[in-house]
């Protein structure tokens, strides 16, 4: 059980891809706790029951990019329950411990990822994740891109400064809260991920936590994260209640939820719980429960903490929302990469505010596991995916005439026998070049906004395909006006607009062209890394598996997919034709390399620079250098910006790889740097000083 829980913690907190529902996890944890209580001789210090799950590091590895700092006060979790009688028991315990009358602060439990902000002299000083509760990852640079977190506090109207108290806030305090992703931003992100054939996040919590640990801070700004703050800490804070502290924080411009209530007894708490159990369905963000806190700070101190939780607070968690409905039929949908997904058609049903008509059955294994039959009554839940999923069959309601579904053995569109990938549970249609659905989906992807950004609706592209005007993306560029006028409803104007948009797409940068090719697993971010690493389509096409694996964020699966794509003669021909049509086939087509100062040198970058990491990589490539994600014996040098990853530094030191600063690097390529400096701060070029690195 310890192993399962530790593994589930890692999948949840670090990889942001949970393997278990929250409720299953909480129940298993409770069982472990009661076993350890019953058999104390088998209890261990490192049991997950005594430690909060750690979020340190990223899915790529521990402590790769974030510096860590200790928490001034341990950052604990909350005891939780799904049972209202345990809320009553909590209130009784608190009441017994305190002995006097007291109040409760009842709040929403935001389903995000915990954050600890430190403000010094009214300015945001540092943002740490919970980490393992003792030390956290420093994500300040990312938090700066979350729009409702103020970098500077504001003085509330009516505040009168005195010499003793020039500002309303303490000179230093911590305020903790949750970074979360509202539903709208979450759905948009998952839509983009699905379009890129990247695994969607299972829920907004995972999306928020994955986004907070992005290595490219600018990308964080696009993720629509928000913050809510719910716990202030510091030395000698001038508040006697938690509510006062939150009201003060709100008056300084900090985001504090107004969905709180001061309750005086269990009845009021239950009213609050029941109210939000219904109303939460209409909120623009996810909540997974209610948090009850003893409001008076002296009483909080009296009750104190266990190793893992405060004794003055508890979470009541809501059960995941489900709806029961009938399964009418199953469609087998073929995607851009040939993957065949079973999708259930349901008797429409209301779930979390929307009418659900379709739900995913994922794959053949899942269908078998659920023992789902056409005509069955099934439970649907909203997970992370765009369409809800079927989680169980209500066997007690199974009609006598249900039909066992048969997963197709041939492609429902082109009839080609399906193949099953060894590693994946999915079935694929291997007829990439002949299966109409796959071809059409690839054409749509190629012209899409984030790829070549050509104005054309899906229906138009389908028409072009049906009239045999296009078969591969390269065919778009040989379309002329007469051919376009053969499309239904097309006149001079629409044809001109399309041709103009096509011409403009010739300026779309190389990384987008690479993305537009629709190589399996190569989403926008991967295309960007690969493009900046290799600099040209020819170099990507010629790359060996080893070359591909040295790109940051490229693992075996992606590397193999790219490698195979460029070993297919049809793809080579198509890419050649795109080149002939004038698309950007290299990062600096018009400029050519700026110099050969880094020719043949493999360079690893780490930390923050005065320019974005992507721009830094491009700068390296433009001087003939090669970027690599990991330090090895072949690394010419490690270019370390602000807050470089400690693991990379350690490895470079161990291998004797030289570590250079941004300034030294800029000198080396003949630029004054760092670029961020104001003119007065600019480092003087050091005359006669030539760095010798190699
Ligand atoms: S108070 C020491 N208040 O839920 C008490 N936590 O499952 C600190 N959470 O670790 C927590 N909403 O990350 C508190 N209104 C709220 C919350 C909240 C969400 C999170 C927090 C905590 C987790 C426990």
């Amino acid at each position: 059980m310890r192993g399962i829980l530790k593994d589930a913690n890692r999948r949840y907190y670090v990889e942001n891809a949970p393997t278990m529902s929250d409720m299953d996890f909480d129940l298993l944890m409770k069982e472990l706790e009661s076993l350890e209580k019953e058999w104390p001789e088998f209890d261990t210090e490192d049991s997950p029951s005594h430690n909060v799950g750690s979020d340190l590091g990223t899915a790529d590895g521990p402590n790769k990019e974030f510096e860590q700092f200790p928490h001034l006060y341990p950052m604990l979790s909350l005891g939780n329950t799904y049972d209202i009688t345990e809320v009553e028991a909590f209130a009784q315990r608190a009441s017994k411990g305190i002995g006097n009358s007291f109040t409760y602060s009842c709040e929403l439990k935001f389903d995000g990822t915990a954050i600890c902000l430190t403000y010094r002299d009214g300015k945001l000083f540092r943002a740490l994740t919970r980490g393992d509760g003792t030390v956290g990852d420093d994500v300040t640079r990312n938090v700066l891109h979350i729009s409702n977190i103020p970098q500077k506090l504001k003085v509330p109207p009516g505040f009168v400064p005195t010499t003793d108290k020039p500002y309303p806030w303490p000179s230093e305090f911590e305020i903790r809260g949750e970074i979360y992703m509202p539903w709208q931003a979450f759905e948009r992100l998952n839509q983009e991920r699905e379009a890129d054939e990247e695994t969607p996040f299972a829920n907004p919590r995972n999306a928020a936590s994955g986004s907070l640990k992005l290595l490219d801070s600018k990308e964080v700004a696009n993720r629509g994260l928000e913050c809510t703050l719910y716990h202030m800490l510091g030395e000698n804070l001038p508040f006697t209640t938690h509510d006062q502290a939150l009201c003060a924080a709100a008056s300084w411009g900090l985001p504090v939820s107004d969905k709180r209530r001061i309750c005086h007894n269990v009845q009021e708490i239950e009213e609050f719980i029941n109210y939000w159990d219904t109303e939460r369905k209409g909120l623009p963000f996810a909540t997974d429960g209610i948090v009850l806190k003893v409001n008076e700070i002296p009483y909080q101190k009296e009750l104190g903490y266990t190793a893992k939780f405060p004794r003055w607070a508890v979470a009541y968690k809501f059960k995941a929302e489900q709806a029961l409905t009938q399964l009418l039929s199953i469609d087998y949908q073929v995607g851009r990469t040939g993957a065949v997904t079973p999708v259930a058609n349901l008797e429409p049903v209301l779930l979390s505010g929307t009418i659900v008509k379709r739900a995913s059955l994922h794959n053949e294994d899942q269908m078998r596991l659920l023992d789902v039959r056409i005509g069955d009554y099934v439970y649907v839940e909203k997970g992370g995916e765009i369409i809800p999923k079927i989680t169980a069959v209500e066997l007690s309601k199974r009609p006598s005439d249900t039909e066992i579904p048969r997963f197709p053995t041939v492609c429902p569109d082109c009839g080609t026998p399906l193949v099953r990938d060894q590693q994946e549970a999915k079935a694929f249609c291997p007829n990439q070049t002949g299966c109409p659905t796959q071809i059409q989906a690839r054409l749509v992807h190629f012209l899409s906004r984030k790829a070549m950004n050509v104005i054309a609706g899906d229906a138009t592209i389908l028409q072009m395909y049906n009239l045999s005007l296009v078969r591969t993306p390269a065919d778009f560029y040989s379309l002329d006006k007469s051919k376009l006028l053969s499309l239904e409803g097309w006149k001079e104007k629409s044809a001109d607009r399309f041709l103009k948009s096509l011409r403009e797409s010739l300026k779309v940068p190389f990384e987008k062209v690479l993305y537009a090719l629709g190589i399996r697993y190569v989403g926008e971010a991967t295309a960007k890394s690969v493009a900046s690493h290799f600099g040209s389509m020819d170099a990507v096409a010629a790359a060996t598996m080893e070359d591909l694996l040295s790109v940051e964020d490229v693992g075996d699966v992606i590397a193999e997919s790219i490698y195979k794509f460029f070993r297919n003669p049809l793809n080579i021909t198509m890419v050649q034709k795109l080149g002939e049509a004038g698309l950007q086939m290299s990062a600096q087509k018009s400029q050519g390399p700026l110099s050969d100062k880094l020719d043949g040198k493999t360079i690893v970058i780490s930390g923050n620079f005065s320019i974005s990491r992507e721009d830094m990589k491009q700068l390296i490539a433009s001087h003939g250098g090669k970027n690599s994600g990991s330090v090895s014996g072949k690394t010419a040098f490690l270019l370390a910006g602000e807050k470089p990853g400690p693991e990379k530094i350690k490895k470079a030191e161990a291998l004797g790889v030289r570590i250079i600063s941004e300034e030294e690097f800029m000198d080396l390529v003949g630029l004054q740097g760092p670029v961020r400096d104001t003119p007065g701060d600019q480092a003087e070029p050091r005359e006669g000083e030539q760095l010798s690195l190699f």
Side-chain angles (χ1 to χ4, degrees), residues 12-13 26 52 74-80 106-115 130 176-179 228-231 233 242 246 257 260 288-293 305 308-315 317:
Y12 184 90
Y13 285 111
D26 293 335
V52 297
M75 209 166 161
L76 304 176
S77 182
L78 283 173
N80 67 57
C106 295
E107 304 167 12
L108 293 184
K109 184 167 167 358
F110 286 78
D111 199 9
T113 182
I115 193 77
R130 186 170 70 185
R176 295 176 175 178
E178 207 80 356
I179 306 279
T228 183
L229 299 168
Y230 47 63
H231 188 201
L233 289 142
H242 166 74
L246 292 192
S257 169
R260 299 184 281 128
D288 56 341
I290 294 296
V291 182
L292 318 174
K293 299 171 183 172
Y305 294 84
K308 222 172 141 183
F309 311 127
R311 286 200 192 87
W312 48 266
V314 75
K317 290 178 85 171

Side-chain angles (χ1 to χ4, degrees), residues 41-96:
E41 62 272 42
F42 296 118
D43 199 352
T44 58
E45 242 174 58
D46 72 339
S47 168
S49 66
H50 305 312
N51 301 287
V52 297
S54 168
D55 70 44
L56 293 174
T58 66
D60 295 335
N63 323 336
K64 262 191 112 182
E65 292 288 342
F66 297 98
E67 202 174 352
Q68 289 163 6
F69 288 97
H71 286 298
L72 229 46
Y73 313 93
M75 209 166 161
L76 304 176
S77 182
L78 283 173
N80 67 57
T81 180
Y82 292 84
D83 181 353
I84 198 80
T85 60
E86 286 192 27
V87 171
E88 289 158 13
F90 164 81
Q92 261 171 20
R93 272 197 312 275
S95 177
K96 213 167 140 197

Side-chain angles (χ1 to χ4, degrees), residues 429-444:
C429 165
N431 184 14
Q432 284 186 1
T433 46
C435 176
T437 313
Q438 288 183 60
I439 300 172
Q440 287 158 13
R442 280 202 301 272
L443 294 170
V444 168

Side-chain angles (χ1 to χ4, degrees), residues 2-23:
R2 287 186 184 128
I4 293 170
L5 288 166
K6 274 187 191 167
D7 183 55
N9 259 336
R10 190 183 154 71
R11 298 279 303 189
Y12 184 90
Y13 285 111
V14 181
E15 292 177 22
N16 297 309
T19 43
M20 253 192 222
S21 77
D22 281 12
M23 186 148 158

